[in-house]
Amino acid sequence: NTSRFDGWDGADLTTRHGYLGIEPAGDATQLHALKTDSRVTSNLNPLSATMRERDTTIDLLYDSLGTVHEGEVQPWLATDVTWTELNPDDEQEPSLTATVTLHENCQFHDGERLTAEDVAFTYRFLEDTSLGRAPTASPAPRYQSHIDVVDQVTVDGEYDLTFSMLGSREIGKRALTVPILPQHFWRELVDQRAANGEFTAPQGQWIAVTGDHVPPIGSGPFQFDRRTEDEQVIFTRFDDHFTRRADTDRPEAAVEELRFDIEPSSASAVRRIADGNADVTASMLDAYTLDGIPDSSDIVQLEQPSRTFYHLGFNVRNTPFSNTHFRRAVSQLLPKQAIVDEVFYGHATPAATPVTDEWIPESLVWDGEDPVTPFVGSDGDLNVDAAKAAFETAGFRYDDNGRLRGGY
C-alpha cells in the first residue's frame, strides 16, 4: 500500500533488507502484513526445519554475521570480514579463513550481551545440538548444509573471531547467514535435558529443533511481542539494535510495530490490500491471483526471482526408477511450457536445470524446449505413439492390454 508507506521500489521481502527499507509516508507506526501460512504463529523456533515460509521472520528476530542483499552476502552483524586463501596440499585441510569483527556492545532481546563467544557457540551448537552430551552428534538439519563447510571457529577477542573453512569463498559466505543464538539460553536448555544422566537427541527430532515453546530470543531489529495461534503474530522494534546507532550505515527498522495476520487465501489477501485493510502480502501469492491485482496508484506489485522450483524427483534406489532411460522417458511426458502457461498463468519460467542463469552451461540453456528431455508432443498435447516408443526404446514393453511391463 503506497499511500501509507514509501520505499517499496525494489523491496525484496524475502530478505530483512526488504522490511527495513520501508518507511511510513505519514504518521503510520505499524506495518500490517498478510501471510498465507499460519505456522509462523505457532512456532518461531529458529532451528525448526518444518516451519517453512518463515525465513524472513527469523531474519528479523535474529541477526546473522552476513545477510543476503541484492544477490550478495554482505556484512550485517559483522562490521568486517577478511578472507584469506590457504591453498592446502591436503583436500581435507581448511582451504580458507574468514576473520570476522563484530559490532560492539550488541545485546539480545533479554538484555544479555552478545559477544564472539555467542557466535562461536552458535556454530558448535548447530554442528551438534546435544553439545556432546548424547551418544551421537545431532546436527541441526535446517542449517547443516550451511555449517558443514566450517572446520573450526576460534575466538580471538570479545568481538573478533576466525573461521577455518573447507571449500570455496562463495560457499563460505553462505555459512555466515545462520542466526546467532544466545549461548546462555540454549546451553541451559541442553543442561536441563541432560541433567538426569541419560540423554538422547535424535537428529531433527528432539525438543531443541522441534519445540514450539522455545522463546524467540534473538538480537535482531525486531523482537517478539505476542501472538494468537492461527491468526497473527506481532513484533515490535528493538530500539537497542545496532542499526539504530548513528555510526552505522545498515538500514534500520522505521516502524514501531510489525504485524503479520494470517490470510490463507491469496485472492482474499489481494482484496484486503486493495480495500486498504492491510499494507503488504508477506507470502508468495498463487499465480492465478496476479492478473487480478487492481490497477491503482496506491498498490504496487513487488516481483523478485523465486529461489524455489518445482521438479519431478525419482527414488533411484528402486526399479524402474534406477533405469536412466526410464527416467528420461518419463521426463519427456512433461509439457513444461504448457504447465507454465496454464498452471502458472505465465508467471514462471521453464528450465532444464535448477541453477541460476549465470551458472547454466550452454548445453542446458532452455531454447523453446528442454535441451535434454524434450516433450514428446506439441502445444501441450502428448504424442502417445511417440511416448510409447520412448519407453520401448528404454527397454520396456506393453502387454496386450496396453500396460507397461518391465524391460526384457
Side-chain angles (χ1 to χ4, degrees), residues 243-263:
T243 56
R244 304 278 294 165
R245 303 172 187 171
D247 61 348
T248 180
D249 59 356
R250 309 289 195 270
E252 64 178 279
V255 293
E256 297 177 10
E257 190 171 271
L258 181 54
R259 169 183 166 185
F260 293 100
D261 277 1
I262 305 305
E263 179 52 74

Side-chain angles (χ1 to χ4, degrees), residues 154-175:
T154 303
V155 175
D156 301 321
E158 190 172 16
Y159 302 110
D160 300 288
L161 307 97
T162 298
F163 288 76
S164 298
M165 297 188 180
L166 306 167
S168 69
R169 183 179 300 192
E170 290 304 313
I171 296 175
K173 288 180 179 180
R174 185 167 179 260

